[in-house]
Amino acid sequence: MIRLFFLCLLAITFQCSAEPKIQGEDGYRLWLKYDLISDDVKRNHYLTVLGKYAVVGSSPTFEVVRQELSLASSGLLGEGQEVKEKEASLIIAAGDNAATFAKQYGIEWPKQGDDGYFIHDVGSQNQPKIFVLSKSEKGALYGTFRLLKQIQTDDVLSGINVASSPKVQLRVLNHWDNLDGHVERGYAGRSIWNWHKLPGYIDQRYVDYARANASIGINGTVLNNVNADPLMLTPAYLQKVRALADLFRPYGIQVYLSVKFSSPQLLGGLETSDPLEPGVQKWWREKVSEIYKTIPDFGGFLVKANSEGQPGPGDFGRTHAEGANMLAAALQPFDGIVMWRAFVYANEKNEERSKQAYSEFKPLDGQFANNVLVQVKNGPIDFQPREPFSPLFGATPETPLMMEFQITMEYLGFSTHMVYLGTMYEEVLESDTFAKGEGSTVAKVIDGQLFSNHITGMAGVANIGADRNWTGNIMLQSNWYVFGRMAWDPEVSAREVANDWTKMTLSHDPDTVDAVTTMLMDSHEITVNYMTPLGLHHIMGAGHHFGPAPWVDWLARDDWNSVYYHKAAEDGVGFDRSPTGVNSVEQYFPPLKELWAKPETTPEKYLLWFHHLPWDYRVSSSGRTLWNEIVHRYYQGAEDVARMAAKWNSLKEHIDPLQFEQVRMSLAIQQKEAIWWRDACVLYFMQYSQQPLPDNLEKPSHDLEYYQSLSFPHAPGQG
Ligand code: BDP
């Protein structure tokens, strides 16, 4: 008996030790790793600066600066300490102190906004003396992170001369987190907010979340889902929100809440939530003043109204402006703001979905209160892998528009597809609206340059969850990172950001950095090719939005079905949004409305978005027929994923083993799923094109029925 017991024990022990366990970077530290710099020359160079620093002033924000410098210097250099100003080679100062230093050292400080910073070396080649100066403490914090980036990305410090100011005022994450911990469209585990344990228990994650955001300039967070639970506004939850607000304050981050428009009825027991009713206005005024008593620097509200079943002013015969202004009036005495979403479409309206937001909001231009921003999704439909920019950008000179990007991967393969969104954001921001002639880019609408807006903002639907690596896939951390960088500067280059992120997160080996940057830069176009090439859109699985399903035709509303969007038939494929069809091109400024009205002058990436074309239409860039071009793109996309996976595998020696393995596995899944998208879509469209696949192509391994039979009842993130 005893022998048997020992044999079992031995077997168990053996089994455990035989299990492969890869040690390494688990991704928790994001891009703030601060690993020891092994190169002596480099380390000594940085030591001449970061070895002796002085933070001039004491406040909660300066405490954060001190902590970060201590963490970074001990990590990167193995040493470093705060010293007296006179002995310091790095001095961080804000406000009057900063101005005094500037005067004393003859530093010519470029004109900039309060939260900008100026990093300047007044020392010599061998002994730099660097100042990080700002008007505000927040600016000094941003400047500190910027200086640390210089070290993390192997740039020299001596001679540094960097001035930067945020071009957009509100740089905000939108968490679609429910109070029960489920994250709508979240693919990185449960919500990071542990509402049950708040306000008493402060998870270290909240601190690291704040550090990460501050490091890229994010200064606001909407804690809860736009499909809002009114409970959020109850005193018990406000105490929980307060705990987070108190923690985030020193990091320069304000909290905001999503609110349900019918809260006066649901929480207050009122008979109506009509925004013009004095009783309703009073209810909101009192609620808002209760919030500000609890959280004096509360940011304001985000509202999804009269959209996908959410209540709104329309329920009472009132406009979006009347609804938004009522909330704005309650927030105004406290400097709070309203972010009112333009994501509206209704089945009852006799108008095509892509046109509805413009039709509803354009006539309201000029009617919104001063502290309202209208928050517009980047495309006219809904965060598709690719969309043209929303025609609202540029169309409302009197109304500040806030960009809403999706960072989470709802329509892009969840967390196993590696898709860097920097290029997608860049494509949208660089788009010319022509609102005030050539050069009226979306970026200039958003940062207020075009119409001199008094208030500007950019929002990103967060991809953050309680997974150890935060985003479900280390590579997707790059999307949180690039969102912050582009919110700070909508004109920054996606490539530059990808490069920085790669160095800070994955490797310092120059060839590896180049290879990964190239993968990131190519990844979105590749994904568009194997999912929705040439302007196809909204052909994913119903409900969960996972995988291909161009056959969906059974949902209650026309414009929820895939067949509504691709309109594949024997005569061709694509949605005619030109003047011969629903004419959504009319919502764009000239020359776009004329250019996009004709297939020959429509960019190929939007071809089937704006046009229904015969299968034998000649695609000008390649000379292929439309059918052959669609097939070509699906195959090219899938092949390119295989190429990316092979490239990644070749980098094994230069990447941390755990990071390497996790990404390798995800890419292998992506490769399989790209083939799945390709085969399912090609077989589906083939029924209508009635043309074969070119001979040289690998045939799908199943028939269409097989793909149509697949179901994913427990796909994550469902709404
Ligand atoms: C859709 C999502 C849904 C969101 C909605 C929104 O599928 O979960 O609630 O957007 O933005 O794309 O309100």
Side-chain angles (χ1 to χ4, degrees):
M1 185 65 192
I2 291 178
R3 225 176 123 219
L4 191 68
F5 171 74
F6 276 110
L7 274 178
C8 288
L9 197 68
L10 200 71
I12 292 168
T13 319
F14 182 74
Q15 235 182 11
C16 289
S17 60
E19 235 171 56
K21 190 156 190 240
I22 300 175
Q23 301 285 346
E25 180 65 36
D26 64 12
Y28 181 81
R29 298 183 300 164
L30 295 159
W31 48 88
L32 301 174
K33 285 160 66 184
Y34 304 145
D35 282 336
L36 188 70
I37 297 167
S38 51
D39 182 315
D40 291 345
V41 178
K42 272 192 205 161
R43 200 177 57 251
N44 285 332
H45 172 67
Y46 295 133
L47 200 55
T48 56
V49 177
L50 197 53
K52 289 181 183 164
Y53 56 85
V55 181
V56 186
S58 59
S59 71
T61 296
F62 276 136
E63 236 3 85
V64 165
V65 171
R66 281 198 174 89
Q67 281 164 17
E68 203 62 32
L69 287 171
S70 153
L71 197 67
S73 58
S74 58
L76 290 161
L77 312 173
E79 57 185 299
Q81 56 179 319
E82 183 157 14
V83 295
K84 295 213 178 73
E85 262 163 62
K86 281 195 205 103
E87 298 154 33
S89 40
L90 169 63
I91 295 180
I92 321 275
D96 290 346
N97 287 333
T100 310
F101 281 122
K103 213 164 160 199
Q104 195 179 337
Y105 285 86
I107 300 172
E108 277 193 40
W109 193 344
K111 244 184 133 85
Q112 57 184 187
D114 283 357
D115 292 343
Y117 52 78
F118 184 43
I119 308 179
H120 188 73
D121 180 12
V122 297
S124 61
Q125 172 80 18
N126 297 331
Q127 186 45 65
K129 186 174 181 77
I130 293 178
F131 285 93
V132 176
L133 305 177
S134 173
K135 288 188 193 151
S136 72
E137 294 183 359
K138 248 165 104 175
L141 176 64
Y142 296 143
T144 303
F145 277 113
R146 174 62 186 80
L147 181 98
L148 293 174
K149 176 171 92 73
Q150 189 86 355
I151 303 178
Q152 292 169 280
T153 54
D154 304 324
D155 267 344
V156 286
L157 286 178
S158 46
I160 189 172
N161 188 35
V162 176
S164 185
S165 261
K167 291 191 188 159
V168 173
Q169 292 159 13
L170 309 168
R171 308 175 295 276
V172 181
L173 286 179
N174 288 185
H175 287 268
W176 285 0
D177 295 21
N178 293 331
L179 300 188
D180 65 2
H182 172 77
V183 182
E184 181 157 334
R185 312 309 178 181
Y187 312 102
R190 307 273 296 167
S191 169
I192 54 171
W193 316 129
N194 193 327
W195 293 113
H196 184 70
K197 285 163 92 175
L198 280 165
Y201 192 91
I202 299 296
D203 199 311
Q204 174 61 29
R205 222 176 233 272
Y206 306 153
V207 178
D208 292 321
Y209 166 88
R211 289 177 51 231
N213 281 329
S215 78
I216 48 177
I218 288 173
N219 66 355
T221 176
V222 183
L223 300 173
N224 61 322
N225 192 354
V226 286
N227 298 315
D229 187 330
L231 263 187
M232 199 75 218
L233 293 180
T234 56
Y237 274 91
L238 289 178
Q239 286 307 323
K240 297 170 193 282
V241 174
R242 172 199 198 148
L244 291 175
D246 287 347
L247 176 76
F248 294 159
R249 192 166 297 115
Y251 296 86
I253 299 167
Q254 280 180 285
V255 299
Y256 299 75
L257 293 176
S258 295
V259 295
K260 210 176 197 72
F261 198 77
S262 54
S263 294
Q265 289 160 285
L266 298 172
L267 277 186
L270 269 58
E271 275 180 7
T272 176
S273 296
D274 181 348
L276 298 195
E277 254 320 299
V280 171
Q281 297 169 353
K282 178 164 174 274
W283 187 87
W284 279 110
R285 273 201 308 276
E286 285 172 4
K287 182 48 79 184
V288 166
S289 83
E290 178 192 341
I291 295 175
Y292 278 91
K293 263 190 210 115
T294 319
I295 308 156
D297 60 346
F298 179 69
F301 294 147
L302 171 63
V303 192
K304 173 175 178 177
N306 294 121
S307 164
E308 298 185 327
Q310 291 299 322
D315 304 347
F316 311 96
R318 313 296 181 197
T319 67
H320 284 286
E322 286 168 323
N325 292 348
M326 182 265 302
L327 294 175
L331 288 157
Q332 192 271 331
F334 307 95
D335 293 331
I337 58 134
V338 175
M339 298 172 285
W340 189 272
R341 296 178 88 224
F343 177 64
V344 295
Y345 63 101
N347 212 23
E348 313 76 54
K349 298 242 164 75
N350 194 18
E351 190 176 37
E352 207 275 302
R353 174 167 168 185
S354 71
K355 298 178 76 177
Q356 288 190 24
Y358 180 100
S359 301
E360 193 128 6
F361 281 85
K362 165 91 183 139
L364 299 176
D365 187 26
Q367 293 182 29
F368 288 95
N370 264 344
N371 54 336
V372 177
L373 287 122
V374 172
Q375 183 167 310
V376 183
K377 287 191 182 182
N378 60 276
I381 301 259
D382 191 0
F383 294 145
Q384 293 304 292
R386 168 169 278 137
E387 299 193 35
F389 68 87
S390 162
L392 267 171
F393 295 116
T396 62
E398 307 292 325
T399 310
L401 298 187
M402 186 158 176
M403 171 62 76
E404 180 176 315
F405 280 131
Q406 194 170 41
I407 312 174
T408 190
M409 301 279 287
E410 175 177 1
Y411 297 98
L412 283 161
F414 296 7
S415 64
T416 41
H417 291 218
M418 189 201 81
V419 188
Y420 172 59
L421 296 173
T423 49
M424 195 203 92
Y425 300 161
E426 187 172 58
E427 178 176 303
V428 174
L429 291 164
E430 277 177 0
S431 296
D432 200 339
T433 68
F434 292 93
K436 285 172 89 179
E438 207 175 330
S440 308
T441 59
V442 173
K444 293 201 167 85
V445 174
I446 294 307
D447 69 16
Q449 279 186 62
L450 201 63
F451 300 122
S452 311
N453 300 125
H454 57 283
I455 175 168
T456 55
M458 193 187 289
V461 179
N463 61 348
I464 298 164
D467 274 5
R468 184 71 190 156
N469 66 16
W470 301 86
T471 55
N473 177 342
I474 289 168
M475 299 305 277
L476 301 180
Q477 294 176 355
S478 62
N479 291 332
W480 177 5
Y481 183 80
V482 71
F483 168 75
R485 293 281 304 270
M486 287 199 174
W488 179 278
D489 177 4
E491 288 171 328
V492 72
S493 114
R495 179 176 292 278
E496 178 190 325
V497 178
N499 204 273
D500 284 347
W501 177 82
T502 305
K503 281 188 193 154
M504 292 162 84
T505 313
L506 291 176
S507 175
H508 288 264
D509 170 58
D511 292 340
T512 306
V513 173
D514 278 356
V516 175
T517 303
T518 305
M519 282 170 71
L520 292 173
M521 290 301 290
D522 292 347
S523 60
H524 176 251
E525 197 65 51
I526 291 174
T527 308
V528 168
N529 277 339
Y530 68 74
M531 286 187 176
T532 52
L534 293 167
L536 287 170
H537 52 286
H538 212 291
I539 57 172
M540 65 288 155
H544 48 59
H545 300 164
F546 181 62
W551 45 82
V552 172
D553 64 357
W554 59 83
L555 299 176
R557 292 175 49 154
D558 283 356
D559 56 9
W560 282 347
N561 290 294
S562 305
V563 295
Y564 167 89
Y565 291 98
H566 61 66
K567 304 220 182 308
E570 278 177 28
D571 73 339
V573 60
F575 201 131
D576 186 0
R577 295 193 173 102
S578 79
T580 57
V582 298
N583 201 12
S584 58
V585 292
E586 73 176 346
Q587 295 182 333
Y588 291 91
F589 286 91
L592 296 182
K593 63 163 76 179
E594 289 92 32
L595 290 172
W596 294 359
K598 289 179 275 174
E600 314 83 74
T601 47
T602 301
E604 275 171 11
K605 57 187 174 187
Y606 308 139
L607 197 59
L608 303 177
W609 182 283
F610 288 114
H611 304 283
H612 184 81
L613 297 170
W615 295 104
D616 59 2
Y617 173 86
R618 287 274 158 204
V619 174
S620 60
S621 67
S622 66
R624 295 189 186 94
T625 64
L626 181 57
W627 166 247
N628 282 338
E629 183 68 21
I630 290 177
V631 171
H632 169 75
R633 299 239 179 167
Y634 273 112
Y635 274 80
Q636 186 68 54
E639 198 184 309
D640 287 344
V641 179
R643 209 175 31 80
M644 277 203 305
K647 186 79 212 171
W648 180 262
N649 292 344
S650 76
L651 303 175
K652 185 166 184 178
E653 272 171 42
H654 302 285
I655 307 255
D656 168 273
L658 189 56
Q659 285 182 326
F660 173 81
E661 187 55 14
Q662 289 180 349
V663 176
R664 187 197 63 74
M665 291 187 289
S666 292
L667 279 165
I669 295 173
Q670 184 176 4
Q671 201 176 332
K672 263 172 64 186
E673 292 182 357
I675 294 175
W676 167 37
W677 266 94
R678 176 194 83 186
D679 291 350
C681 292
V682 160
L683 285 176
Y684 175 81
F685 290 122
M686 185 189 268
Q687 307 173 94
Y688 301 100
S689 78
Q690 300 185 341
Q691 293 180 49
L693 286 179
D695 277 346
N696 55 339
L697 298 178
E698 182 192 19
K699 299 281 168 281
S701 35
H702 302 276
D703 59 14
L704 182 59
E705 261 169 45
Y706 164 81
Y707 296 110
Q708 290 180 327
S709 73
L710 300 176
S711 76
F712 307 93
H714 299 295
Q718 301 206 38

